[in-house]
Amino acid sequence: DRVLKILTVEKFINKTSLGECMKYFLRRERKMSNLPWDLVVDRILIRLGRDFYLKSELITIYPGEFVLIKGKSGEGKTTFALSLAGLLPPTEGKILFNGKDIYALDRKERLKIVSFFPQNFFSIVEFDGTIGDFVKLVKPSEITEFEKNFLSLLRELGLNETILRRNFKSLSFGERQRVILAIVLAKDSHIYILDEPDSALDSCSKLEFFNLLTNFLKKARSKAFIVISHKLQTYKFFSKVINVEKGKIEVAFSKPPS
């Protein structure tokens, strides 16, 4: 029986391209390990204009992973993230969620898979108004459960509804972090992409924020975080590090999520 299985695999490999083989075994691995989903970046090429391009190797992101996209400014980290989020179709290759091309799905379906938060979202610290006002401002019209999810997450993060009446600038730093995280997670997607969420934070505050994300992932194993940063001095929080440099997108480090 074992010899038959080996011969079957060899026959499959001989008749199939390397890429198709990899996708086949990734699907098999997900099925055998009972993972609810995976996101496969199938060697995409992103070309913008004549001179700028990004090309990736085969990369897979799993539930429970905390992923860092790193690279110098201008290398294309955000461009790659926009493509992952279903906002910038690759010129070649595919991004597959459970084997389905995300660009073949409509916008509502993509929002259930990936939520993208641009760098300017994290300038919420400058917002002069109540938390309730801000939640109404950022509430996506497509997601009717947003406010309900937000209130539930506030309670889970140790806050209560009275905070909605407070001015954002009156909150302690710890309270601000929890409110931002509740807004992010209220979209109830599988994957959350955060662009430079640490850009306005000092070293201690960064550690607190990433600890908050890590602790949430331990409870919500079906979620994944992807963070874009070029300032981090430590990678201890991350299960996977993706490097964007000189037009190449490659996994620099990977381990099973803890």
Side-chain angles (χ1 to χ4, degrees), residues 2-258:
R2 189 175 177 184
V3 172
L4 182 61
K5 286 180 181 178
I6 293 171
L7 290 174
T8 302
V9 170
E10 287 184 348
K11 185 177 179 183
F12 176 79
I13 291 173
N14 288 335
K15 289 189 173 182
T16 315
S17 69
L18 179 59
E20 290 301 315
C21 286
M22 289 296 293
K23 282 187 280 185
Y24 169 80
F25 287 114
L26 285 169
R27 287 196 299 270
R28 228 183 112 143
E29 180 186 348
R30 185 180 74 239
K31 189 174 181 180
M32 293 174 69
S33 57
N34 294 318
L35 291 173
W37 57 265
D38 60 21
L39 184 76
V40 177
V41 182
D42 188 10
R43 288 180 302 277
I44 62 170
L45 171 68
I46 304 168
R47 188 177 292 279
L48 300 176
R50 290 190 305 173
D51 300 324
F52 182 86
Y53 74 91
L54 292 170
K55 192 169 185 178
S56 82
E57 61 183 10
L58 188 70
I59 300 170
T60 306
I61 295 167
Y62 296 104
E65 284 207 295
F66 199 170
V67 180
L68 171 67
I69 299 176
K70 74 177 186 72
K72 296 178 182 177
S73 294
E75 290 284 0
K77 300 184 301 296
T78 299
T79 300
F80 174 47
L82 287 170
S83 194
L84 288 179
L87 299 171
L88 180 64
T91 311
E92 296 176 13
K94 292 180 180 180
I95 298 172
L96 307 167
F97 183 82
N98 277 356
K100 294 181 180 178
D101 185 348
I102 64 170
Y103 286 96
L105 306 174
D106 63 32
R107 187 168 182 269
K108 286 185 180 180
E109 289 178 297
R110 289 202 300 269
L111 273 174
K112 291 177 184 176
I113 297 170
V114 186
S115 289
F116 177 79
F117 292 86
Q119 186 174 350
N120 60 9
F121 171 79
F122 298 96
S123 64
I124 181 176
V125 289
E126 302 301 324
F127 182 73
D128 189 13
T130 68
I131 302 305
D133 290 338
F134 188 80
V135 171
K136 290 175 183 175
L137 187 67
V138 301
K139 175 179 177 284
S141 58
E142 300 93 338
I143 303 176
T144 55
E145 296 292 304
F146 181 84
E147 287 173 309
K148 182 180 176 182
N149 293 340
F150 174 71
L151 293 174
S152 175
L153 284 159
L154 277 183
R155 290 189 286 271
E156 191 175 331
L157 292 167
L159 302 173
N160 59 52
E161 295 178 23
T162 59
I163 204 168
L164 295 173
R165 298 191 292 272
R166 291 177 59 186
N167 187 289
F168 192 84
K169 290 186 176 181
S170 74
L171 303 181
S172 69
F173 184 78
E175 288 172 328
R176 290 184 185 189
Q177 286 183 317
R178 283 164 173 75
V179 167
I180 290 173
L181 185 55
I183 291 171
V184 167
L185 298 174
K187 285 193 175 182
D188 197 24
S189 300
H190 293 290
I191 303 164
Y192 301 90
I193 302 178
L194 316 180
D195 191 356
E196 303 278 2
D198 57 334
S199 59
L201 305 180
D202 59 32
S203 298
C204 290
S205 301
K206 285 181 186 181
L207 292 176
E208 288 178 26
F209 185 69
F210 287 122
N211 268 321
L212 197 61
L213 295 178
T214 302
N215 290 334
F216 183 86
L217 270 182
K218 289 176 181 177
K219 298 176 184 176
R221 301 296 295 173
S222 64
K223 310 288 186 184
F225 285 120
I226 300 174
V227 168
I228 303 166
S229 180
H230 67 278
K231 296 181 178 179
L232 278 181
Q233 301 299 313
T234 178
Y235 300 149
K236 70 175 184 177
F237 298 102
F238 303 101
S239 58
K240 185 172 275 129
V241 176
I242 298 173
N243 192 48
V244 181
E245 186 178 12
K246 296 180 180 178
K248 294 181 179 179
I249 303 168
E250 298 175 325
V251 175
F253 168 79
S254 183
K255 67 177 181 180
S258 58

